Amino acid sequence: MPPSFDFRVDDLTGAREELREVVKNSGTALTQTGEAGPSLLPAQIDAPPLGATFFIETFGCQMNAHDSEKVAGVLLGRGYRQVEDLNSAKVVFYNTCSIREKAAQKVFSRLGEYRKHPGHGKIIGVLGCVAQQEGEEIFERAPWVSLVCGSASYSKLPALLAQLEAGNRRVTGLDTDTDETFETEITRRDNPFRAYLTIIEGCDKSCSYCVVPYTRGPERSRSSASVLQEVRKLADAGYSEIQLLGQTVNSYRDPMLRGMTRGMTFAELLVAVAAVPGIRRVRFTTSHPRDFGRDIVEAIDSVPELCDHVHLPVQSRSTRVLRSMQRTYSREEYLEKIALIRSARRPISVTSDIIVGFPGETEEDLADTLSLLDAAQYDGVFAFQYSPRPNTSSLQMADTIPEQEKGRRLAVVQDRQREIQIVRNNELVGQTFEVLVDGASRRPGQWAGRSSSNRILNFSSPHSDLLGQYIQVRVTGASPNSLIGEQVISEQVV
Ligand code: SAM
Ligand code: SF4
């Protein structure tokens, strides 16, 4: 998603117009994932160490955002207090993204700020992909950093924090050789309505342009039993929408626990999560085309709680470019998956990611990608300029397309997709969607919410206190990135 690309998936239709505020102000929840205790955290914790307020800034994807929620849970569990203002924090963590160069640069610009304030007295930690990628070099570039920890080592965070509390000056967690997932007893969730839940970490694919397998380590799935236990607790805590996360969420492999003859498939897990009492919506992202099968479409078709939206990144339509990207599918195979989704009994919205300017991409390849946009009729596309990344195999290929030309190609793709969305969204005028209300405007009577298909609807209603409610909204207008509507008021209510 734009500034931080994975939120783009969530913000599928982009602009929220005036409706922004509320979620932030409508409270956050602490949920416990362990066996014992109530789902809301009692405030009884030992006196905070090291001072001890913390601030986390998160860059990048939804998985990073959710990792930050869990990191916050680890700190809260140790008696720290989270603050919204960097200046009043004793401990500052940057949870970083290095998927593209610009994202990686951001954290160094943040760290550079401390050079101007040598007496800041803060403990600074760098987490996530840049931490993994740059490792101890970060100490060289920013000697005021005390902790560097990649996401594959987050299970060591409590021990690393304990070392800092004991007075250690520098600590690192940089192993990627792990079969552990990052599970915490307490998670501080930012969104009061939708809970994110990572079911698979890391990635075993090796797309030639991508740093993720290097920065997040090998693929490892969380057991279905533990996922379902957490979903039940989330439902008890009042969450009705669950979003299952993974870089390749549908590559999920249920680890075999003692006594099991076989684990759940991803589609079976979706159905089981949807069956938890209190859960009304289940989303999942990101799906890899190679592992996307008919069973997922059948599950969506037969279980109304499974949201009718699939994010299925194609990256390019050119088979030659796909091969060079090591995407493990041809354009025909990808189009078969789209056809499978389109054959569902209920309409399923489809979104995608596209990279332009990959080494060797010709005008013909670009034309091929544009024709895919016409054929696939996506409901949203997140397009990126190719960015050469360290430790990736495409680094060996000459980055042949000048940045200016990459920018031009990006604009061409975005313009074509915008035209498609204008037409598709206008076709929805007159239809009614069930919306989970998650935002309110300063203007009275104006609200925002999402449909199951992840469309953003900005709508009017005579009612107040709609936040967190599921209501019916009729579409009265459309823009490329969102829909406008009004609440359907049934005659009995009027
Ligand atoms: N695992 C997902 C998949 O296979 O489609 C994608 C996850 S990736 C973290 C998110 C998106 O970032 C990718 O779909 C791709 O479009 C984009 N991306 C990844 N590496 C990139 C690079 N080096 N340059 C530009 N965009 C990149
Ligand atoms: Fe990166 Fe490819 Fe893995 Fe997606 S599947 S995270 S693009 S390596």
Side-chain angles (χ1 to χ4, degrees), residues 101-345:
E101 196 185 350
K102 271 191 190 146
Q105 279 165 354
K106 273 189 201 156
V107 69
F108 286 108
S109 101
R110 289 288 192 284
L111 293 176
E113 288 292 312
Y114 291 91
R115 200 183 305 276
K116 299 178 205 154
H117 308 284
H120 56 76
K122 297 185 192 304
I123 291 164
I124 295 163
V126 179
L127 305 172
C129 295
V130 174
Q132 190 65 52
Q133 192 177 287
E134 303 293 325
E136 296 190 6
E137 294 253 314
I138 292 175
F139 296 135
E140 306 291 314
R141 289 178 71 168
W144 43 90
V145 170
S146 301
L147 176 145
V148 172
C149 183
S151 71
S153 301
Y154 283 165
S155 54
K156 300 199 181 96
L157 260 182
L160 295 176
L161 278 167
Q163 287 173 34
L164 282 182
E165 287 155 10
N168 280 11
R169 169 88 179 81
R170 278 181 179 161
V171 294
T172 56
L174 294 169
D175 290 343
T176 50
D177 179 18
T178 178
D179 55 6
E180 287 177 19
T181 53
F182 178 38
E183 288 166 46
T184 53
E185 253 176 61
I186 302 161
T187 299
R188 177 205 178 280
R189 288 192 154 83
D190 290 331
N191 187 313
F193 313 119
R194 173 188 302 136
Y196 295 112
L197 208 157
T198 303
I199 61 164
I200 173 168
E201 289 177 8
C203 181
D204 279 352
K205 312 276 190 290
S206 43
C207 303
S208 60
Y209 52 81
C210 184
V211 287
V212 167
Y214 178 75
T215 56
R216 284 190 165 266
E219 210 173 85
R220 51 220 191 268
S221 296
R222 191 172 164 183
S223 76
S224 54
S226 135
V227 170
L228 289 169
Q229 184 191 41
E230 184 160 1
V231 173
R232 283 190 284 271
K233 286 181 185 295
L234 288 166
D236 288 347
Y239 288 96
S240 61
E241 184 173 312
I242 302 290
Q243 180 151 350
L244 304 178
L245 298 178
Q247 293 294 343
T248 54
V249 72
N250 58 327
S251 309
Y252 177 81
R253 299 269 176 281
D254 194 359
M256 296 288 279
L257 301 181
R258 211 172 331 139
M260 282 167 79
T261 48
R262 85 169 177 88
M264 282 191 186
T265 64
F266 175 64
E268 287 166 345
L269 180 64
L270 286 179
V271 173
V273 170
V276 171
I279 298 304
R280 280 184 69 159
R281 282 185 175 177
V282 182
R283 302 188 183 280
F284 54 96
T285 197
T286 294
S287 295
H288 190 284
R290 197 195 68 186
D291 298 331
F292 192 87
R294 184 178 296 278
D295 56 345
I296 301 173
V297 176
E298 284 171 354
I300 295 175
D301 246 347
S302 50
V303 179
E305 287 82 5
L306 295 183
C307 288
D308 44 11
H309 169 224
V310 174
H311 186 62
L312 197 70
V314 64
Q315 314 301 357
S316 167
R317 192 206 184 182
S318 154
T319 294
R320 194 184 58 77
V321 174
L322 284 173
R323 202 172 298 133
S324 175
M325 287 177 163
Q326 292 166 211
R327 279 297 282 181
T328 68
Y329 51 83
S330 66
R331 86 167 143 202
E332 288 73 22
E333 284 162 339
Y334 181 84
L335 289 171
E336 279 167 23
K337 309 283 174 168
I338 294 287
L340 193 62
I341 296 170
R342 297 293 182 214
S343 72
R345 285 190 299 281

Side-chain angles (χ1 to χ4, degrees), residues 5-6 8 99-100 203 207 209-212 247-248 286-289 313 315 327 353-355 382 384-389:
F5 71 85
D6 256 335
R8 81 207 182 288
I99 199 83
R100 281 162 289 127
C203 181
C207 303
Y209 52 81
C210 184
V211 287
V212 167
Q247 293 294 343
T248 54
T286 294
S287 295
H288 190 284
Q315 314 301 357
R327 279 297 282 181
D353 294 348
I354 285 175
I355 296 177
F382 306 100
F384 308 101
Q385 292 179 210
Y386 168 69
S387 169
R389 304 306 298 129

Side-chain angles (χ1 to χ4, degrees), residues 62-70 189 196-198 245:
Q62 270 166 341
M63 291 199 68
N64 264 13
H66 183 43
D67 283 347
S68 287
E69 291 180 335
K70 290 192 273 186
R189 288 192 154 83
Y196 295 112
L197 208 157
T198 303
L245 298 178

